[in-house]
Amino acid sequence: MLAIHISRHNIKFAQLVNFKGTPFIESLGKVDLSESIYSPDMTNSQVIMSLAEQISSIRNSAEFPDTATHLVIDSDWFPMGIHPVDTALSGNDLNKYLKWYMKEMLEGALDQYSIVHQELNRSSAKAAQYLSIALPQSFGSWLDRIIGPSELELKNVITEMEAVGNVLTATKLLDFEGGIQVVLENKENTISCHMFQDQEFSGLFHGSLNWDYRITLDHVRGDAKLIELIKEAIERAIKGKRDPDNVLTNLFYFSSTGDPSLLSNLEKYEVSCQPLNLGNHFNFRDPDSENIDEYAVVLGALNVEIQERFSEN
Protein backbone atom coordinates (compact mmCIF):
# COMPACT_ATOMS: atom_id res chain seq x y z
CA MET A 1 0.00 0.00 0.00
CA LEU A 2 1.38 3.38 -1.06
CA ALA A 3 0.45 6.83 0.21
CA ILE A 4 1.42 9.82 -1.93
CA HIS A 5 1.12 13.46 -0.88
CA ILE A 6 1.13 16.19 -3.53
CA SER A 7 1.94 19.68 -2.26
CA ARG A 8 3.13 22.85 -3.97
CA HIS A 9 6.83 22.07 -3.68
CA ASN A 10 7.29 18.32 -3.49
CA ILE A 11 5.72 14.88 -3.46
CA LYS A 12 6.16 12.77 -0.35
CA PHE A 13 5.41 9.07 -0.15
CA ALA A 14 5.36 6.12 2.21
CA GLN A 15 4.80 2.40 1.73
CA LEU A 16 2.88 0.22 4.18
CA VAL A 17 3.51 -3.54 4.28
CA ASN A 18 2.07 -6.41 6.27
CA PHE A 19 4.80 -8.33 8.08
CA LYS A 20 3.35 -11.36 9.86
CA GLY A 21 0.15 -9.49 10.67
CA THR A 22 1.90 -6.31 11.83
CA PRO A 23 1.74 -3.08 9.80
CA PHE A 24 5.19 -1.68 9.00
CA ILE A 25 6.16 1.50 7.21
CA GLU A 26 8.64 0.06 4.73
CA SER A 27 9.92 3.26 3.19
CA LEU A 28 9.63 7.04 3.31
CA GLY A 29 10.78 9.50 0.67
CA LYS A 30 10.18 12.69 -1.26
CA VAL A 31 10.92 14.24 -4.62
CA ASP A 32 11.10 17.98 -5.21
CA LEU A 33 9.09 19.74 -7.88
CA SER A 34 10.59 22.35 -10.18
CA GLU A 35 9.94 26.03 -9.48
CA SER A 36 7.85 26.30 -12.65
CA ILE A 37 4.98 24.33 -11.04
CA TYR A 38 5.01 25.87 -7.55
CA SER A 39 1.62 27.42 -8.33
CA PRO A 40 -1.14 24.78 -8.06
CA ASP A 41 -2.71 24.45 -11.51
CA MET A 42 -4.73 21.45 -12.70
CA THR A 43 -4.96 22.77 -16.27
CA ASN A 44 -1.22 23.16 -16.93
CA SER A 45 0.06 20.34 -19.16
CA GLN A 46 3.62 20.81 -17.89
CA VAL A 47 2.43 20.33 -14.32
CA ILE A 48 0.47 17.21 -15.27
CA MET A 49 3.44 15.67 -17.11
CA SER A 50 5.84 16.42 -14.27
CA LEU A 51 3.50 14.95 -11.63
CA ALA A 52 2.91 11.83 -13.75
CA GLU A 53 6.67 11.32 -14.23
CA GLN A 54 7.43 11.74 -10.53
CA ILE A 55 4.60 9.43 -9.44
CA SER A 56 5.78 6.76 -11.92
CA SER A 57 9.28 7.12 -10.48
CA ILE A 58 7.92 6.63 -6.96
CA ARG A 59 5.98 3.52 -8.02
CA ASN A 60 9.09 2.05 -9.71
CA SER A 61 11.22 2.70 -6.63
CA ALA A 62 8.80 0.95 -4.25
CA GLU A 63 10.36 -2.16 -2.78
CA PHE A 64 7.12 -4.13 -2.83
CA PRO A 65 4.91 -4.39 -5.96
CA ASP A 66 1.70 -3.03 -4.43
CA THR A 67 -0.43 -0.80 -6.68
CA ALA A 68 -3.13 0.19 -4.17
CA THR A 69 -2.64 3.88 -3.35
CA HIS A 70 -3.97 6.55 -1.03
CA LEU A 71 -3.52 10.01 -2.55
CA VAL A 72 -3.38 13.23 -0.54
CA ILE A 73 -3.66 16.59 -2.30
CA ASP A 74 -3.05 19.86 -0.50
CA SER A 75 -6.23 21.89 -0.14
CA ASP A 76 -4.63 24.95 -1.73
CA TRP A 77 -4.99 23.15 -5.07
CA PHE A 78 -8.73 23.84 -4.73
CA PRO A 79 -10.85 26.97 -4.25
CA MET A 80 -11.92 26.73 -0.62
CA GLY A 81 -13.47 28.87 2.06
CA ILE A 82 -14.41 28.55 5.73
CA HIS A 83 -17.15 31.04 6.46
CA PRO A 84 -19.97 31.87 8.89
CA VAL A 85 -23.59 31.29 7.90
CA ASP A 86 -26.57 32.76 9.74
CA THR A 87 -28.22 29.95 11.74
CA ALA A 88 -31.62 31.38 10.77
CA LEU A 89 -31.05 30.06 7.25
CA SER A 90 -32.24 26.55 6.47
CA GLY A 91 -33.46 24.43 3.59
CA ASN A 92 -33.70 26.21 0.26
CA ASP A 93 -32.56 29.56 1.70
CA LEU A 94 -29.39 27.94 3.07
CA ASN A 95 -28.67 26.26 -0.26
CA LYS A 96 -29.16 29.56 -2.11
CA TYR A 97 -26.75 31.35 0.21
CA LEU A 98 -24.07 28.66 -0.07
CA LYS A 99 -24.41 28.71 -3.85
CA TRP A 100 -24.12 32.51 -3.89
CA TYR A 101 -21.03 32.39 -1.67
CA MET A 102 -19.21 29.99 -3.97
CA LYS A 103 -20.35 31.86 -7.09
CA GLU A 104 -18.74 35.01 -5.69
CA MET A 105 -15.56 33.13 -4.80
CA LEU A 106 -15.34 31.52 -8.23
CA GLU A 107 -16.18 34.77 -10.01
CA GLY A 108 -19.17 33.27 -11.78
CA ALA A 109 -17.49 30.07 -13.00
CA LEU A 110 -19.72 27.90 -10.81
CA ASP A 111 -20.66 25.49 -13.62
CA GLN A 112 -17.02 24.42 -13.94
CA TYR A 113 -16.96 22.93 -10.43
CA SER A 114 -18.66 20.45 -8.16
CA ILE A 115 -19.20 22.01 -4.74
CA VAL A 116 -18.97 20.28 -1.36
CA HIS A 117 -20.22 22.00 1.82
CA GLN A 118 -19.66 20.73 5.35
CA GLU A 119 -20.91 22.31 8.56
CA LEU A 120 -18.20 22.42 11.19
CA ASN A 121 -18.70 21.92 14.91
CA ARG A 122 -17.34 25.33 15.74
CA SER A 123 -20.61 27.25 15.62
CA SER A 124 -22.36 29.79 17.81
CA ALA A 125 -26.01 30.60 18.43
CA LYS A 126 -25.94 33.22 15.66
CA ALA A 127 -23.64 31.66 13.07
CA ALA A 128 -22.70 28.21 11.86
CA GLN A 129 -19.23 27.66 10.37
CA TYR A 130 -19.15 26.00 6.96
CA LEU A 131 -16.26 24.58 4.96
CA SER A 132 -16.94 24.95 1.23
CA ILE A 133 -14.58 23.44 -1.34
CA ALA A 134 -14.83 23.42 -5.14
CA LEU A 135 -13.66 20.42 -7.16
CA PRO A 136 -13.06 21.13 -10.87
CA GLN A 137 -15.27 19.16 -13.24
CA SER A 138 -12.00 18.02 -14.83
CA PHE A 139 -10.69 16.59 -11.54
CA GLY A 140 -11.34 12.97 -12.51
CA SER A 141 -9.51 13.27 -15.82
CA TRP A 142 -6.65 15.13 -14.06
CA LEU A 143 -6.27 12.20 -11.67
CA ASP A 144 -6.25 9.77 -14.60
CA ARG A 145 -3.50 11.73 -16.32
CA ILE A 146 -1.18 11.93 -13.31
CA ILE A 147 -1.86 8.42 -11.94
CA GLY A 148 -2.62 6.44 -15.12
CA PRO A 149 0.94 6.16 -16.48
CA SER A 150 2.14 4.52 -13.24
CA GLU A 151 -0.75 2.00 -13.33
CA LEU A 152 -1.46 2.61 -9.68
CA GLU A 153 -4.91 1.82 -8.31
CA LEU A 154 -6.42 4.75 -6.42
CA LYS A 155 -8.15 3.55 -3.27
CA ASN A 156 -8.83 6.92 -1.67
CA VAL A 157 -8.28 10.63 -2.32
CA ILE A 158 -8.28 13.10 0.57
CA THR A 159 -6.87 16.54 1.40
CA GLU A 160 -4.10 17.21 3.89
CA MET A 161 -6.75 18.63 6.27
CA GLU A 162 -8.19 15.16 6.80
CA ALA A 163 -4.77 13.49 6.85
CA VAL A 164 -3.45 15.77 9.62
CA GLY A 165 -6.59 15.05 11.64
CA ASN A 166 -5.94 11.33 11.12
CA VAL A 167 -2.47 11.80 12.62
CA LEU A 168 -3.91 13.32 15.79
CA THR A 169 -6.38 10.43 15.98
CA ALA A 170 -3.66 7.81 15.42
CA THR A 171 -1.44 9.29 18.11
CA LYS A 172 -4.34 9.73 20.54
CA LEU A 173 -3.46 13.43 20.76
CA LEU A 174 -6.87 14.68 19.61
CA ASP A 175 -8.51 16.74 22.34
CA PHE A 176 -12.02 15.73 23.40
CA GLU A 177 -12.65 18.72 25.68
CA GLY A 178 -13.20 21.38 23.02
CA GLY A 179 -9.70 22.90 23.18
CA ILE A 180 -7.95 24.48 20.20
CA GLN A 181 -5.11 22.41 18.82
CA VAL A 182 -2.66 23.48 16.12
CA VAL A 183 -0.29 21.34 14.06
CA LEU A 184 2.59 23.55 12.87
CA GLU A 185 4.88 22.62 10.00
CA ASN A 186 8.15 24.54 10.04
CA LYS A 187 9.34 25.21 6.47
CA GLU A 188 12.04 27.44 5.03
CA ASN A 189 11.13 30.98 6.18
CA THR A 190 7.45 29.98 6.47
CA ILE A 191 5.10 28.04 8.70
CA SER A 192 1.93 26.14 7.85
CA CYS A 193 -0.69 25.62 10.56
CA HIS A 194 -3.78 23.40 10.72
CA MET A 195 -6.31 24.09 13.47
CA PHE A 196 -8.62 21.59 15.18
CA GLN A 197 -11.37 22.07 17.73
CA ASP A 198 -14.05 19.71 19.04
CA GLN A 199 -12.24 16.82 17.31
CA GLU A 200 -12.68 18.48 13.92
CA PHE A 201 -10.69 20.60 11.48
CA SER A 202 -11.55 24.28 11.97
CA GLY A 203 -9.11 26.33 9.88
CA LEU A 204 -5.65 26.78 8.44
CA PHE A 205 -3.13 29.46 7.66
CA HIS A 206 0.28 29.86 6.07
CA GLY A 207 2.62 32.61 7.18
CA SER A 208 6.03 34.06 6.42
CA LEU A 209 8.44 33.91 9.32
CA ASN A 210 10.36 37.16 9.75
CA TRP A 211 13.83 37.60 11.28
CA ASP A 212 12.33 38.64 14.62
CA TYR A 213 10.02 35.59 14.63
CA ARG A 214 6.97 37.65 13.87
CA ILE A 215 4.56 35.95 11.46
CA THR A 216 3.10 37.65 8.39
CA LEU A 217 -0.10 35.86 7.39
CA ASP A 218 -0.13 34.96 3.68
CA HIS A 219 -3.02 32.50 3.32
CA VAL A 220 -5.95 32.25 5.75
CA ARG A 221 -8.97 29.94 5.78
CA GLY A 222 -11.22 30.21 8.82
CA ASP A 223 -12.16 32.64 11.57
CA ALA A 224 -9.79 35.58 10.92
CA LYS A 225 -10.02 36.92 14.49
CA LEU A 226 -9.28 33.51 16.02
CA ILE A 227 -6.39 32.93 13.61
CA GLU A 228 -4.91 36.30 14.59
CA LEU A 229 -5.04 35.26 18.27
CA ILE A 230 -3.43 31.92 17.46
CA LYS A 231 -0.73 33.62 15.39
CA GLU A 232 0.09 35.88 18.35
CA ALA A 233 0.15 32.90 20.73
CA ILE A 234 2.61 31.09 18.44
CA GLU A 235 4.80 34.19 18.23
CA ARG A 236 4.92 34.29 22.02
CA ALA A 237 5.73 30.58 22.20
CA ILE A 238 8.62 30.95 19.75
CA LYS A 239 10.02 33.74 21.93
CA GLY A 240 9.50 31.72 25.10
CA LYS A 241 6.75 33.98 26.43
CA ARG A 242 3.59 32.73 28.10
CA ASP A 243 0.20 33.13 26.49
CA PRO A 244 -1.88 35.04 29.07
CA ASP A 245 -5.14 34.19 27.30
CA ASN A 246 -4.41 30.45 27.02
CA VAL A 247 -5.74 30.45 23.46
CA LEU A 248 -4.03 27.18 22.56
CA THR A 249 -4.62 23.86 24.24
CA ASN A 250 -1.83 22.20 22.26
CA LEU A 251 0.75 23.21 19.68
CA PHE A 252 2.24 20.20 17.90
CA TYR A 253 5.14 20.91 15.60
CA PHE A 254 7.48 19.32 13.08
CA SER A 255 9.99 20.53 10.53
CA SER A 256 10.42 20.07 6.79
CA THR A 257 13.15 22.49 5.74
CA GLY A 258 12.73 25.21 8.30
CA ASP A 259 14.85 27.17 10.75
CA PRO A 260 16.09 24.70 13.43
CA SER A 261 16.28 27.52 15.99
CA LEU A 262 12.49 27.90 15.84
CA LEU A 263 12.01 24.29 16.93
CA SER A 264 14.73 24.68 19.53
CA ASN A 265 12.80 27.59 21.03
CA LEU A 266 9.55 25.64 21.06
CA GLU A 267 11.25 22.68 22.74
CA LYS A 268 12.05 24.97 25.69
CA TYR A 269 8.46 26.17 25.97
CA GLU A 270 5.68 24.89 28.18
CA VAL A 271 4.20 21.41 28.05
CA SER A 272 1.41 22.48 25.66
CA CYS A 273 4.05 22.67 22.88
CA GLN A 274 5.45 19.33 21.79
CA PRO A 275 6.78 17.55 18.70
CA LEU A 276 4.54 14.96 17.09
CA ASN A 277 7.13 12.20 17.60
CA LEU A 278 5.48 9.89 15.07
CA GLY A 279 8.35 7.45 15.41
CA ASN A 280 6.70 6.40 18.68
CA HIS A 281 3.31 5.71 17.10
CA PHE A 282 4.03 3.79 13.89
CA ASN A 283 6.20 0.74 13.19
CA PHE A 284 9.11 1.52 10.86
CA ARG A 285 11.51 -0.83 9.14
CA ASP A 286 14.19 1.72 9.94
CA PRO A 287 13.21 3.39 13.24
CA ASP A 288 16.29 5.63 12.95
CA SER A 289 15.03 7.34 9.79
CA GLU A 290 15.68 11.06 9.93
CA ASN A 291 12.85 13.50 10.57
CA ILE A 292 9.97 11.02 10.47
CA ASP A 293 7.52 13.76 11.52
CA GLU A 294 8.07 15.46 8.15
CA TYR A 295 5.93 12.68 6.66
CA ALA A 296 2.98 13.36 8.96
CA VAL A 297 0.51 13.80 6.09
CA VAL A 298 1.29 10.53 4.27
CA LEU A 299 1.32 8.67 7.58
CA GLY A 300 -2.08 10.17 8.34
CA ALA A 301 -3.37 8.79 5.05
CA LEU A 302 -2.03 5.33 5.87
CA ASN A 303 -3.53 5.35 9.36
CA VAL A 304 -7.00 4.73 7.89
CA GLU A 305 -5.63 1.67 6.10
CA ILE A 306 -3.94 0.47 9.27
CA GLN A 307 -7.18 0.77 11.23
CA GLU A 308 -9.18 -1.06 8.56
CA ARG A 309 -6.75 -3.90 7.89
CA PHE A 310 -5.14 -4.47 11.27
CA SER A 311 -7.76 -3.40 13.84
CA GLU A 312 -8.47 -7.00 14.81
CA ASN A 313 -4.80 -7.46 15.66
Side-chain angles (χ1 to χ4, degrees):
M1 173 66 63
L2 281 171
I4 295 174
H5 171 212
I6 299 175
S7 67
R8 282 175 177 251
H9 308 301
N10 55 47
I11 302 176
K12 294 175 183 173
F13 61 92
Q15 185 169 36
L16 175 72
V17 298
N18 180 353
F19 181 72
K20 297 181 179 180
T22 300
F24 267 84
I25 305 299
E26 176 65 24
S27 58
L28 296 168
K30 66 178 177 179
V31 292
D32 291 328
L33 300 175
S34 66
E35 287 189 14
S36 61
I37 59 174
Y38 272 19
S39 178
D41 185 353
M42 292 186 179
T43 64
N44 188 312
S45 296
Q46 181 184 354
V47 173
I48 292 170
M49 290 177 59
S50 178
L51 291 175
E53 289 172 2
Q54 298 291 8
I55 291 172
S56 292
S57 175
I58 290 169
R59 189 269 168 90
N60 294 334
S61 69
E63 298 190 28
F64 291 85
D66 190 351
T67 60
T69 303
H70 288 263
L71 182 65
V72 187
I73 305 173
D74 273 2
S75 55
D76 54 7
W77 282 72
F78 307 97
M80 186 190 83
I82 299 174
H83 53 106
V85 178
D86 193 325
T87 53
L89 294 177
S90 63
N92 193 44
D93 290 336
L94 175 60
N95 292 332
K96 284 182 178 179
Y97 172 79
L98 293 174
K99 183 176 181 179
W100 170 84
Y101 175 86
M102 291 306 292
K103 185 177 181 179
E104 291 293 304
M105 174 183 287
L106 299 171
E107 299 179 344
L110 198 61
D111 59 345
Q112 299 176 25
Y113 295 87
S114 297
I115 311 299
V116 177
H117 302 288
Q118 179 182 346
E119 184 177 359
L120 304 178
N121 285 339
R122 191 178 180 277
S123 300
S124 65
K126 294 183 178 180
Q129 293 288 326
Y130 273 79
L131 185 154
S132 299
I133 188 166
L135 305 178
Q137 296 287 2
S138 59
F139 183 53
S141 62
W142 181 79
L143 288 175
D144 290 340
R145 294 177 68 184
I146 66 170
I147 296 293
S150 62
E151 299 182 345
L152 292 172
E153 176 191 354
L154 275 183
K155 184 169 183 181
N156 196 22
V157 180
I158 61 175
T159 68
E160 94 291 351
M161 299 179 291
E162 182 175 347
V164 174
N166 290 342
V167 164
L168 294 184
T169 300
T171 55
K172 296 180 171 58
L173 294 172
L174 198 62
D175 180 68
F176 287 84
E177 304 298 328
I180 297 174
Q181 299 178 290
V182 173
V183 179
L184 180 154
E185 181 178 3
N186 177 34
K187 304 178 183 179
E188 186 175 2
N189 299 321
T190 64
I191 63 169
S192 176
C193 294
H194 288 73
M195 301 156 45
F196 296 83
Q197 188 174 17
D198 293 329
Q199 308 165 50
E200 190 175 75
F201 172 79
S202 63
L204 62 85
F205 62 93
H206 307 315
S208 301
L209 193 63
N210 300 311
W211 66 270
D212 59 354
Y213 290 128
R214 287 190 176 275
I215 299 165
T216 301
L217 295 177
D218 301 320
H219 175 84
V220 173
R221 293 292 182 269
D223 185 327
K225 290 183 179 179
L226 178 61
I227 287 175
E228 183 65 29
L229 291 175
I230 290 173
K231 179 196 79 115
E232 292 173 357
I234 293 173
E235 289 173 338
R236 291 191 189 98
I238 295 172
K239 296 176 181 179
K241 297 179 179 179
R242 299 287 176 179
D243 175 17
D245 300 319
N246 293 318
V247 173
L248 290 174
T249 301
N250 301 106
L251 175 63
F252 303 111
Y253 54 87
F254 64 96
S255 180
S256 290
T257 56
D259 178 1
S261 65
L262 181 149
L263 297 190
S264 177
N265 288 353
L266 290 178
E267 287 171 1
K268 300 173 185 176
Y269 195 56
E270 59 186 340
V271 69
S272 62
C273 294
Q274 64 184 82
L276 283 174
N277 283 334
L278 297 181
N280 298 332
H281 298 281
F282 293 84
N283 299 315
F284 294 89
R285 186 189 68 168
D286 181 6
D288 297 322
S289 296
E290 292 186 4
N291 202 13
I292 286 173
D293 285 358
E294 179 181 1
Y295 298 90
V297 172
V298 284
L299 294 175
L302 287 177
N303 181 59
V304 175
E305 186 71 20
I306 292 171
Q307 295 302 315
E308 290 179 354
R309 292 173 58 182
F310 301 96
S311 58
E312 293 182 1
N313 298 320

